[in-house]
């Protein structure tokens, strides 16, 4: 047991009060003086020292200060490097894994927390980063077939679907706890849709209808991943990002394009106006010392409209740039 140098009673009591006020625990103080924590508490109470609640607050403040300092130290050393990775589209978890591989001495938990609270704009893991382009297209085939109420055609699927695609979809669906019968039904509907389009190439589906069916069917089939997300079929936004637009996706698959499709949202606003809108919003957010979030941007658009200034919606911004983080990175250079 570690003991302190010989002190007078008054000096000892004063030292206890000071250490407790700084946030040290009763146990730690008692051990250093060779007495019980209860005796320390009695002495501090007798001389009118800090109460337990105040000491607890001080301990919390001390831990927060130490954590903040550790985060600042980490960012001072690795901040620029992680910003370069973020600009290349690397997600935060992948950035931490890269750092861990190249700098084994770093504290992974500290790195994750420091980057989470930093201003570095990482891309979120996207479905299009997980699935092949064929699997994304298969989502359109499935919902196109569902929209037409096509019965599963397992024979056509067996002959025409690539085994690699079937294996990829089966793994994805099973991870979302779909039953083997559900997997077989979905693959059969994909086959039926492809067979139908081979006979009638004008068959099509709008992006809005696709998203509507997706929201309905993922619930009906229970396609919820262990993380609580709906990974497949992909969202309309994911399809458009990968293919460059909804009609572009349909054309790549040999499906008839829809008249409702627009040219990437640039009919009402120019690209410069999109850049100006996001840049102006970021400037205002910085001036107000608030976060430049997607939700805050939509609120700002409403305020601008009330003031007589028309700005592109948040959904349109995502359509143009791909993701909200990409939009912010674009205007911030």
């Amino acid at each position: 047991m570690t003991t302190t140098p010989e002190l007078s009673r008054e000096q000892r009591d004063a030292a206890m009060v000071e250490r407790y006020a700084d946030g040290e625990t009763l146990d730690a103080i008692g051990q250093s003086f060779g007495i019980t924590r209860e005796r320390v508490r009695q002495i501090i109470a007798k001389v009118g020292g800090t109460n337990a609640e105040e000491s607890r607050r001080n301990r919390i403040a001390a831990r927060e200060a130490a954590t903040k300092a550790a985060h600042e130290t980490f960012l001072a050393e690795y901040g620029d490097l992680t910003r370069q990775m973020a600009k290349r589209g690397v997600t935060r978890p992948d950035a931490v894994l890269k750092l861990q591989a190249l700098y084994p001495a770093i504290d992974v938990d500290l790195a994750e927390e420091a980057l989470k609270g930093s201003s570095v704009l990482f891309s979120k893991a996207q479905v299009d980063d997980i699935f092949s382009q064929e699997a994304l297209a298969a989502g359109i085939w499935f919902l196109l077939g569902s929209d037409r109420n096509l019965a599963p055609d397992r024979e056509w699927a067996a002959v025409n679907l690539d085994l690699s695609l079937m294996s990829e979809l089966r793994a994805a669906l099973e991870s979302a706890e779909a039953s083997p019968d559900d997997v077989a039904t979905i693959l059969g509907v994909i086959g039926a849709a492809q067979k139908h389009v081979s006979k009638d190439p004008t068959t099509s589906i709008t992006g809005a209808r696709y998203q509507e069916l997706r929201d309905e069917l993922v619930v009906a089939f229970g396609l919820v991943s262990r993380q609580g997300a709906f990974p497949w079929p992909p969202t309309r936004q994911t399809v458009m990002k990968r293919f460059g637009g909804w009609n572009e996706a349909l054309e790549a698959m040999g499906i008839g394009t829809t008249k409702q499709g627009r040219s990437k949202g640039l009919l009402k606003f120019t690209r410069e106006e999109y850049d100006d809108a996001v840049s102006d919003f970021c400037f205002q957010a910085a001036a107000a010392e608030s976060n430049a979030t997607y939700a805050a941007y939509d609120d700002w658009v409403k305020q601008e409209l009330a003031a007589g200034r028309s700005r592109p919606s948040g959904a349109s911004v995502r359509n143009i740039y791909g993701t909200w983080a990409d939009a912010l990175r674009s205007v911030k250079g």
Side-chain angles (χ1 to χ4, degrees):
M1 180 182 295
T2 302
T3 59
T4 59
E6 195 65 33
L7 299 172
S8 68
R9 176 182 295 181
E10 291 77 11
Q11 289 175 324
R12 182 200 66 177
D13 293 352
M16 289 184 183
V17 170
E18 182 178 356
R19 290 168 62 175
Y20 193 55
D22 289 340
E24 194 168 346
T25 64
L26 295 173
D27 280 329
I29 297 171
Q31 289 178 18
S32 67
F33 285 98
I35 58 178
T36 65
R37 69 184 303 278
E38 177 58 22
R39 181 55 183 153
V40 174
R41 186 193 65 76
Q42 292 172 355
I43 292 172
I44 292 174
K46 179 180 179 181
V47 299
T50 303
N51 61 35
E53 179 58 29
E54 184 177 348
S55 180
R56 186 187 71 82
R57 289 197 299 268
N58 290 340
R59 284 197 300 274
I60 293 174
R63 284 198 298 269
E64 290 177 347
T67 299
K68 181 180 179 181
H71 289 179
E72 291 175 347
T73 299
F74 174 86
L75 292 173
E77 186 168 358
Y78 299 105
D80 289 341
L81 180 58
T82 55
R83 285 186 178 85
Q84 292 179 50
M85 286 191 280
K87 288 181 179 179
R88 299 290 295 273
V90 176
T91 63
R92 186 176 67 240
D94 286 352
V96 172
L97 291 175
K98 283 189 170 187
L99 291 175
Q100 183 183 21
L102 295 167
Y103 306 94
I106 71 167
D107 183 326
V108 173
D109 292 334
L110 170 64
E112 175 67 26
E113 291 301 316
L115 292 176
K116 185 183 297 184
S118 73
S119 61
V120 181
L121 296 171
F122 289 100
S123 295
K124 293 183 178 180
Q126 300 291 325
V127 173
D128 58 350
D129 294 328
I130 300 172
F131 294 117
S132 68
Q133 189 154 316
E134 290 73 20
L136 296 182
I140 300 179
W141 287 118
F142 170 53
L143 295 179
L144 174 64
S146 299
D147 188 39
R148 296 278 169 162
N149 293 316
L150 300 179
D153 192 331
R154 302 186 188 191
E155 293 182 357
W156 200 98
V159 173
N160 294 279
L161 294 187
D162 289 339
L163 178 59
S164 59
L165 172 62
M166 295 175 68
S167 299
E168 183 178 2
L169 294 182
R170 182 180 178 184
L173 292 167
E174 287 179 347
S175 72
E177 302 183 356
S179 70
D181 285 341
D182 287 340
V183 174
T185 295
I186 290 170
L187 292 174
V189 171
I190 292 172
Q194 292 185 355
K195 181 178 180 180
H196 181 85
V197 170
S198 69
K199 296 179 178 179
D200 182 6
T202 64
T203 302
S204 191
I205 184 172
T206 66
R209 179 58 176 161
Y210 171 92
Q211 189 63 38
E212 179 184 358
L213 284 172
R214 177 186 183 273
D215 293 342
E216 293 176 0
L217 291 175
V218 292
V219 174
F221 276 96
L223 301 181
V224 182
S225 73
R226 294 183 180 90
Q227 291 74 35
F230 299 148
W232 191 92
T235 63
R236 174 178 60 174
Q237 178 186 346
T238 296
V239 172
M240 293 173 67
K241 180 182 177 183
R242 174 65 72 89
F243 288 91
W246 184 253
N247 281 341
E248 287 81 356
L250 299 183
E251 288 176 353
M253 298 164 60
I255 297 176
T257 57
T258 62
K259 295 180 180 179
Q260 291 91 333
R262 296 198 306 171
S263 179
K264 300 187 180 181
L266 290 174
L267 295 180
K268 185 175 180 181
F269 300 98
T270 65
R271 179 55 186 257
E272 290 74 22
E273 287 171 328
Y274 274 90
D275 291 342
D276 288 344
V278 178
S279 181
D280 291 347
F281 165 71
C282 289
F283 179 81
Q284 178 172 305
E289 297 183 350
S290 60
N291 293 327
T293 64
Y294 176 81
Y297 175 83
D298 266 345
D299 290 339
W300 177 76
V301 169
K302 294 176 184 177
Q303 296 170 9
E304 288 288 280
L305 185 60
R309 294 182 292 271
S310 180
R311 302 283 196 167
S313 68
S316 295
V317 169
R318 277 181 170 173
N319 184 26
I320 292 298
Y321 296 93
T323 68
W324 177 246
D326 288 336
L328 296 181
R329 275 194 290 269
S330 177
V331 301
K332 292 182 178 180

